[in-house]
Amino acid sequence: MSLGKHILILIILFIGAFNIFASDNDYIIYSIGNEEANCKFEDNRVNCIYKDSDGFIWVGTGGSVERINGKYTSVYHFTEKQVGITPASFLVNTLIEYQKHDFWVGNIQGLFHINHEKRTLERVFPEEINFSVQALEKDEENRLYIGTVNGLYIYDGKQLRHIIIDEKNILSVNNRILDIAVYNHTSAWLLTPNGVVICDAKSGALKQYKCTLPSCGALKCLVKVNDTLYIGTEKGNIITFDLLRQSFAPYWNEANVPISDLVHEKEILGVATNGQGIYLLSLPEGKTIYSATCGTETGQDLLSNNISSILLSQGNVWCGTGYYLGMNLLRKKNESFKRYDKGIFKTKDIAVRSYLPTKEYSFIGTREGFYYVHEATGKIQYINVRNDNTGNLRSNLIFSFYEYEGDILIGTCGGGLATFYPRTGTFKETPLTHACVSNDIFMFLEDEEKKLWLATSDGLYSYDKQTQTIREYNASNSNMPGNIVYGIYLDSSNRFWVGTDKGLAIFDKHTGKCSQDMLPDIYCKEVIRYIHEGRDGTLFFCLLSYRLLVSDKSLNNFHYLPLLCPNLIQDDQGFYWLGQWDGVLRSDERLEHYTFFPSINDLNTNAGPPILKDENGMLWICGTKGLFRVNPQVEFTPSPVQITEMQVNGNLYADDYKLKQDSTLYLNSNENTITFRFSSLGYEKPELLKYEYMLQGKDSTWIILANEDKVSYFDLPAGKYVFQIRKFLDSDSTAQISFEIKVNYFWMIYTIITIIVVIVSFILFFNRKKTASTEVVLPNASPEEIQPEVKVTVQPTESYVKLSEEEASEVIDALKKYMQEQQAYLNVDLKQSEVAAAIGYPTYLLSAIFTHYLKMGYYDFVNSYRVEQFKQSVSEGKHKKYTLVTLAEKCGFKSKASFFRAFKKFTGTTPNEYIQQFDKE
């Protein structure tokens, strides 16, 4: 192969790498509505997209209108029956919210209005408008402009007016209104295939401007930005019409297929094409800044190049396909969370364990050695045990770095300490590396006397470079609680904190002794991973048990914060950032308001490495999928949560148009199985969403919920309740619904009467038994005349229950149907009496079914469903997201012991053995 061909191939590869890099820093693309997506549309031909005043996204399809509620949709059907075999006889062209929650829809047959009660689309003006409606718009005075293939209609809430553009020729293409842009409160611009028309809404006066630009073909769509109309054409060009000068001009011509839709947000123009995917243009410059097309890489490309509709919303791009493939959502990557990339070096597929930025170099520690990057030249070096010829690097798992006297100290797992000189790329042995040969080096600390301290797996080391003195402190010689020292910290009160595997202590550098006298006993026994002091003196002790111990500076007030990973840092604005295994958590300085960022840009933090702050105030987070830089100065606005549905006894009771946060719903006593569905209006990927919920009146704490959009409660007793749902720890996103279940007085009276009857019966029975068991000897009576003692034996109630096979089968079918459809077994406190009431049979009858027909106990029966639910969860990969105990609880088990016992009984293996076997397969 010639040198020229080699160079050409290298250029192509470089361009390809650059394109990947550019794409990787713009959008994450995922699909909605098709079979592979979580949210499936009933009809996945998406012809128009609309965002309403609440923040919900609506789509007009080939035969319906659907509102996206997260993992499911609310579907609205046309009341008219489909005629003929046309695959899209009700194809929706346009959708608008005329007034709050009042939606109008235009399709190829006419104009329709949404009925929320029946979830239907009902025809409006059937006599006047019985042909295709192409566009809908409204002005400030609430006039509705209706663009059709037969001219313009204007509806003011009372009267419908018809305006013909070309009255001389009704069949003229000038009467086809393709798009509308409202100009002011009295006029609107109309788009026809030949040009634009200004229409005065009051007088009906028209003025036409025919497009005279060559090579445009028919005009297709428009969008108004300030005093300019941007118009998409059949030949793929975009032209402009200056509203002040009333003149057309070329604007953009990179596409060679028809432009199907235009939309704008801020300084961005979104372009949908019929054959070349989508483009995003810079409005002031008219240049392409991003494009996406259909390809072969799942999750990276569009579903189709034939894009029928496009919507820009808060930086994200929604686009619908024209060939029954659903739609794509292109989520704008948060520029405040950027993965560290340097040229062709990318950390995307690297599990980063430690990081250190210096003036010249960046050091990135992994499980397979470390990289160091010269920031000025971009030169990258990779070093591990295999390519270190000196043998001074004794482990590939890099726990920590520290810059000390021009050298880089490298702390490893099981390989002790290494000293590295980056300018020559060589290691050197020192007295300190000789002392730390095979232990774990977790972190370094340099005190005010320039003495170096090392937290290691076999104690605390100090190193005085001037005297070359090395000292070791451990449990045997310093009263240290444990020998494994994870965290060390010198606070503003000059207290030297030591966090070990067996608790927390304060270390005296002069005596070499540890003390716990200032600490409550209860807080001195747990594993402490990191220690940090806030700028107001608040002390944080990060526990390895995923809790955060917080104290004031005087150590008088200690308290726990739960469910937080053991690493944190405070930024220059005062916010605390805490690492989570599934994202990052930010808190205000008072620890009252939280914002959770779920795996943004694939960010997925480890529980091990700390979050680091550099000299510029930027935060650096080591993650399982790369190294990330966080700019904490950006303002973050989390999206709200909306309760979309309330179901009662399995049936839809009310949707969000009826559910009000400030009112109370009243339910009958038998309406006591409640399901709530909800959605984040940020439309994040469902698997990245993390909620908390609580039912006041039943739950005592917030319950975490991940990758779910509904919560169910079974057989609630009478009382007042408030259901609350929010983003994880985010009180500002809380949505709530209040409801009250009425008391069943009939059953109260029945119960009281039953109790009275039982008490009276017991008294009579007791007196009878007492009389029967008493010997009465008559004077001069013979033994034959003495009556024998009367003994009464009471049989268990269920032994008297005799059912035919058909009757028993009927009860069993009802029992199984209730378990399968209602998933009642997920209720950890499910009682047999509750099940009996739910299926409409008395408890004693159900007991007889279990004893004589199913040949198993009640709890074994319920646990069999829980075991199957656990196996199903494993098959879905949920065991990789949750601990074994957490997953068991989600399946209905109340304790670890009952779970293990039941699983072994029904499967013959332990849960761990089952998971190992499943993962192998």
Side-chain angles (χ1 to χ4, degrees), residues 34 40 52 85 91 272 298 302 501 517 690 704 736 785:
N34 56 24
K40 295 179 176 59
D52 70 13
I85 58 173
L91 181 65
T298 303
L302 300 182
D501 60 323
D517 295 341
K690 191 173 181 181
I704 294 177
Q736 68 177 42
E785 294 174 309

Side-chain angles (χ1 to χ4, degrees), residues 26 50 61 68 81 98 106 144 180 224 278 308 340 342 357 368 387 578 680 692 778 828 837 877 884 902:
D26 287 316
Y50 185 81
T61 75
I68 304 175
K81 293 183 179 181
Y98 179 43
L144 183 64
I180 303 172
K224 176 181 172 294
I278 65 166
S308 56
Y340 178 88
K342 195 72 172 178
E368 303 297 333
N387 61 27
L578 302 97
S680 166
E692 287 183 312
L778 300 176
V828 296
L884 207 59

Side-chain angles (χ1 to χ4, degrees), residues 28 581-584 596-605 688:
I28 299 173
W581 69 268
D582 52 356
V584 179
F596 180 61
F597 303 100
S599 297
I600 292 178
N601 294 10
D602 294 326
L603 179 84
N604 199 346
T605 67
L688 298 183

Side-chain angles (χ1 to χ4, degrees), residues 27 147 210 269 275 349 381 409 515 669 750 764 782 823 868 876 912 916:
Y27 294 90
K210 187 176 180 180
L269 182 68
D349 298 316
Q381 296 289 330
L409 304 182
S515 172
S669 59
Y750 176 80
L764 293 175
S782 64
Q823 292 185 309
E868 290 303 315
E876 295 171 356
N912 287 319
Q916 290 173 4

